[in-house]
């Protein structure tokens, strides 16, 4: 598959990458239809925030679910999904509390949309 990878200020490359696979029971593989450049991508692109290692871009996306891990219950293959920067798994008390107030900050969530 092709990926957009950020290497440093104004250094964006398109690279061949291995196809994603299920690594954890809570993972899903999504065939992307579109991704967005997020405002958070612009800080390292401009050199304001450092890039420690090559970083895949495109953490805001939409696409079709191809495969799900054994613990995934809320989506299934063939379903259209949208991923966004404020996504949460809603499993930690802090996330549930903040979600009720209209915003989400998850302390245990992992990066999504990258491989």
């Amino acid at each position: 598959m092709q990926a957009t990878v950020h290497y440093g200020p104004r250094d964006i490359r398109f690279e061949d990458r291995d196809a994603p696979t299920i690594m954890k029971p809570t993972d899903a593989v999504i065939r992307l239809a579109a991704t967005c450049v997020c405002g958070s991508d612009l800080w390292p692109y401009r050199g304001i925030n450092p890039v420690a290692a090559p970083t895949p871009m495109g953490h805001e996306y939409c696409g079709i679910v191809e495969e799900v891990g054994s613990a995934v219950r809320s989506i299934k293959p063939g379903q259209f999904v949208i991923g966004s920067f404020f996504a949460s798994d809603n499993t930690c008390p802090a996330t549930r509390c903040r979600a009720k107030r209209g915003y989400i900050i998850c302390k245990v969530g992992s990066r999504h949309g990258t491989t």
Side-chain angles (χ1 to χ4, degrees):
M1 70 174 215
Q2 289 277 297
T4 305
V5 183
H6 186 205
Y7 278 81
R10 301 195 182 333
D11 185 2
I12 306 293
R13 304 176 198 178
F14 297 99
E15 299 179 347
D16 288 321
R17 291 278 174 118
D18 292 335
T21 59
I22 300 295
M23 298 174 75
K24 298 179 194 172
T26 54
D27 286 351
V29 174
I30 301 166
R31 180 172 300 280
L32 299 182
T35 63
C36 299
V37 174
C38 177
S40 67
D41 294 324
L42 298 178
W43 298 107
Y45 175 77
R46 293 175 179 144
I48 296 167
N49 291 348
V51 176
T55 306
M57 298 177 72
H59 59 265
E60 296 178 349
Y61 56 89
C62 64
I64 304 294
V65 177
E66 295 271 309
E67 183 180 0
V68 297
S70 60
V72 176
R73 303 284 180 254
S74 58
I75 60 172
K76 60 185 178 182
Q79 195 171 9
F80 180 79
V81 294
I82 298 172
S84 180
F85 69 94
F86 67 86
S88 165
D89 64 3
N90 205 28
T91 59
C92 67
T95 301
R96 286 192 297 271
C97 177
R98 289 184 178 105
K100 289 178 185 174
R101 294 185 191 142
Y103 63 95
I104 296 173
I105 299 171
C106 186
K107 294 181 180 182
V108 297
S110 61
R111 277 184 73 97
H112 61 281
T114 61
T115 57

